[in-house]
Amino acid sequence: MTNIADWREARLRSEDYQRTVISKDKLTDYDPLHGLYIYAQNQLSILIEQIAELPMVDKLADAYAEALEGYMPSSPPMSPLTVSYFTCWGSFDLCSSGAKTETLATIATDFAIFQHVDDGLTSLFETMQASRMGIYRHEGASGRFVFLRELITNREVKALSASGYVGNLGEIWFVRLLPPPFENSIFDYSLVFTTPYVLGKLGPGRAFLSSVEDDWLAFFKRNLPKIHQDTEELAYDHLMKFGLSRNYWNEYIFLSYRNHRNNVIFLEGFPDVAASLPHSKEGRDALGV
């Protein structure tokens, strides 16, 4: 037996949700790869919003809500945690504990597959779920593309920066890259999906200086041994996706904010050196603030 009133209400709710998805006309304003991922994230967000109401995901939903209240993602100067960064963290990196690590996105994707949602769309969901933040050295730019080399893995990537910031040679970037989505893809580049965080340190006269590769290699040398994995690369993957604690990277961004422009955000210091972070108690004390 089906309650027709419930069915009608569900249909109307579905129509309301679909109105929140970016329109085809609006998608033409974006690079095709960027537009593809925007569309996929919009659809995934609809699923996650509904799934988050279920009792069995209370712990994940509560953790997301708590972080949302604590870090108030928006954009500087309101918050250094951008919406693009925080939405990806909450969907793909915030996870449950247990034998099988689940995120809101893995649960939503499993549901989509069960409901026989288009294979191409669910494949995009899985690609986004597999992504993580990473730390890269800027190796140059050409036109709208930037060339990045990831620390530890030494993976070299040609990427389009969605924010429009192409940066400068030698900068250290903290970003989430999304790869070409399908086998035999027409795309020969990846996408910097989040607004770039450019990492720096305090220099003479309290000037902001760009970090160099050795600064962050020293950070990884101090911290990767804390993660018990078989290889350095596996430890790096784990650290960049999950941190050393649930809000590890959220807290770092929040405490390390130094400055911004409309398409880039500058962060100062290192997560494991409290005195290097301008908004930590130790950092304010070091500056006499």
Side-chain angles (χ1 to χ4, degrees):
M1 297 291 290
T2 300
N3 187 320
I4 298 300
D6 289 344
W7 179 85
R8 182 175 181 276
E9 182 182 352
R11 187 184 67 178
L12 291 174
R13 286 187 66 187
S14 176
E15 291 172 354
D16 287 341
Y17 279 127
Q18 285 302 313
R19 290 190 188 98
T20 69
V21 175
I22 189 168
S23 68
K24 290 181 180 179
D25 288 342
K26 187 65 176 176
L27 279 173
T28 61
D29 295 339
Y30 293 90
D31 168 86
L33 182 59
H34 190 193
L36 193 64
Y37 277 120
I38 290 174
Y39 177 80
Q41 188 180 47
N42 282 186
Q43 293 287 4
L44 183 60
S45 294
I46 289 173
L47 284 174
I48 287 175
E49 183 176 344
Q50 296 174 81
I51 285 169
E53 298 176 5
L54 300 175
M56 61 282 294
V57 296
D58 275 351
K59 290 184 179 180
L60 275 177
D62 289 348
Y64 185 93
E66 183 179 343
L68 185 68
E69 182 178 356
Y71 297 105
M72 300 175 294
S74 175
S75 60
M78 293 297 294
S79 172
L81 279 74
T82 64
V83 172
S84 61
Y85 163 82
F86 188 83
T87 301
C88 287
W89 171 81
S91 300
F92 311 124
D93 301 344
L94 172 63
C95 66
S96 61
S97 300
K100 184 180 180 183
T101 298
E102 296 281 12
T103 67
L104 291 170
T106 61
I107 298 168
T109 302
D110 286 346
F111 176 77
I113 292 172
F114 178 77
Q115 292 293 327
H116 304 292
V117 171
D118 177 76
D119 289 345
L121 187 57
T122 56
S123 177
L124 285 172
F125 293 169
E126 291 170 334
T127 298
M128 297 175 83
Q129 170 58 41
S131 71
R132 55 164 173 72
M133 297 295 287
I135 294 182
Y136 300 82
R137 184 184 187 274
H138 190 297
E139 299 286 344
S142 177
R144 64 194 186 116
F145 296 106
V146 60
F147 299 92
L148 302 172
R149 176 175 56 81
E150 188 169 32
L151 305 193
I152 303 299
T153 70
N154 284 314
R155 181 170 60 104
E156 296 182 344
V157 183
K158 173 187 175 183
L160 173 73
S161 178
S163 79
Y165 180 74
V166 295
N168 301 292
L169 180 67
E171 286 178 341
I172 303 297
W173 284 23
F174 178 48
V175 292
R176 184 180 297 261
L177 293 185
L178 298 179
F182 309 115
E183 291 185 13
N184 303 317
S185 174
I186 62 171
F187 303 108
D188 65 347
Y189 58 93
S190 296
L191 178 70
V192 181
F193 194 60
T194 53
T195 301
Y197 290 108
V198 173
L199 307 181
K201 57 186 178 180
L202 193 63
R206 298 182 178 178
F208 178 89
L209 301 178
S210 180
S211 290
V212 295
E213 183 172 347
D214 286 349
D215 296 331
W216 281 93
L217 290 177
F219 164 80
F220 290 124
K221 185 176 181 179
R222 295 192 300 268
N223 290 280
L224 290 184
K226 300 174 184 176
I227 301 172
H228 302 295
Q229 296 285 343
D230 293 337
T231 67
E232 184 180 60
E233 286 194 14
L234 287 174
Y236 170 81
D237 285 342
H238 188 280
L239 178 63
M240 298 312 300
K241 191 163 183 69
F242 303 115
L244 294 178
S245 60
R246 174 169 279 172
N247 284 299
Y248 187 82
W249 292 112
N250 293 341
E251 191 73 0
Y252 168 64
I253 294 170
F254 197 73
L255 296 178
S256 65
Y257 170 74
R258 171 52 65 191
N259 206 344
H260 72 280
R261 296 204 289 268
N262 66 342
N263 56 5
V264 60
I265 300 168
F266 300 95
L267 306 181
E268 179 183 300
F270 305 91
D272 63 337
V273 183
S276 71
L277 304 172
H279 297 284
S280 70
K281 180 182 182 303
E282 295 85 349
R284 292 193 300 270
D285 289 347
L287 293 174
V289 177

